[in-house]
Amino acid sequence: MSKFITFEGVDGAGKSTHLAWFADALRQRGLDVVVTREPGGTPLGEQLREILLNQPMSIGTEALLMFAARLEHIEQVIKPALRAGKWVISDRFSDASFAYQGGGRGMDWEKLHQLEQWVHPDLQPDLTLFFDVPVEVARQRLSNNVSLDRFEQEQSDFFERVRAGYHRRVQENPQRYAVIDAAQTLDSVKHELEVIISIL
Ligand code: TYD
């Protein structure tokens, strides 16, 4: 049976590295896996990503464009793949809007719930892996990157609010999440992922 799995965490948590490994591990078990990302995942969504990551804009515009890209993504990629019996793994989904636009930028939480209800009233991930890491550790990892996008250029207090936004979201619906301590070594995280895969 198909499953929809999302990966979340503050920038620098290491989720993209773990996502690639996780998808390979599922493929080795013979599963048909679609890997995608937000914002993005469709031609229009990737154009919106380019704008979102580089152009200054108001908080409301940022949230609306994130959800606009998401609606395309759901209709063009996620739902068709799930209907075809595939597993879909997305690098970020709506939890990121709650964490970044809600927590980080301070957008009204209830408005985000309304957007979520509008854009995907009938779809939620079966499982969300939240890579949780102290902000200083994530910042340290990001410092190796040569170019930082509009979000990555934010200061530590922004990322503290993003992290708190993720925690609030986990508290609202704890059974959907696996919270992974991403400050551990890569091998320890991989071991946790193996355990998760064994019970999927
Ligand atoms: P990210 O997924 O971290 O990509 P990369 O690993 O290539 O840097 O970058 C996407 C950025 O977009 C990230 O900083 C979080 C932000 N974002 C939001 O603010 N809201 C959202 O709803 C989504 C999906 C992403």
Side-chain angles (χ1 to χ4, degrees):
M1 219 195 32
S2 62
K3 275 196 197 298
F4 178 32
I5 300 174
T6 58
F7 278 56
E8 297 283 356
V10 298
D11 292 273
K15 72 180 165 44
S16 303
T17 309
H18 298 307
L19 189 152
W21 183 86
F22 188 86
D24 277 349
L26 291 183
R27 286 189 181 116
Q28 276 165 25
R29 287 163 47 122
L31 295 167
D32 198 347
V33 179
V34 173
V35 172
T36 186
R37 68 170 181 183
E38 290 203 352
T42 65
L44 175 60
E46 290 295 327
Q47 283 185 296
L48 291 172
R49 178 187 179 92
E50 189 57 33
I51 295 170
L52 278 160
L53 266 46
N54 298 298
Q55 301 280 326
M57 64 186 76
S58 75
I59 300 170
T61 305
E62 189 175 285
L64 287 167
L65 290 182
M66 290 289 179
F67 274 97
R70 182 161 301 130
L71 186 52
E72 282 297 300
H73 192 211
I74 291 168
E75 288 178 355
Q76 308 286 337
V77 176
I78 299 174
K79 281 190 172 172
L82 292 174
R83 259 187 249 119
K86 297 178 183 174
W87 286 45
V88 177
I89 304 181
S90 185
D91 191 341
R92 301 191 184 283
F93 192 60
S94 289
D95 291 321
S97 297
F98 283 86
Y100 281 79
Q101 282 65 56
R105 304 266 194 242
M107 183 169 167
D108 180 51
W109 199 259
E110 193 40 45
K111 273 208 181 94
L112 289 163
H113 271 298
Q114 288 168 4
L115 287 173
E116 183 185 38
Q117 265 307 303
W118 178 29
V119 170
H120 55 98
D122 51 357
L123 177 76
Q124 279 295 342
D126 296 298
L127 173 67
T128 296
L129 305 188
F130 168 45
F131 292 84
D132 194 25
V133 71
V135 168
E136 318 82 73
V137 177
R139 301 304 291 158
Q140 189 55 43
R141 290 178 184 163
L142 272 188
S143 65
N144 300 326
N145 288 14
V146 256
S147 69
L148 298 179
D149 66 40
R150 206 162 62 82
F151 294 99
E152 291 165 340
Q153 286 167 19
E154 290 287 347
Q155 302 302 309
S156 292
D157 57 337
F158 175 84
F159 288 102
E160 293 289 359
R161 295 195 302 274
V162 170
R163 188 181 184 203
Y166 273 123
H167 287 160
R168 179 171 175 189
R169 194 68 176 151
V170 172
Q171 272 164 14
E172 282 183 349
N173 195 3
Q175 66 282 7
R176 175 157 65 81
Y177 298 87
V179 179
I180 294 164
D181 172 6
Q184 305 174 90
T185 62
L186 287 182
D187 274 349
S188 313
V189 173
K190 212 180 274 179
H191 180 68
E192 281 199 34
L193 297 182
E194 272 163 359
V195 173
I196 290 169
I197 288 174
S198 73
I199 56 172
L200 274 175

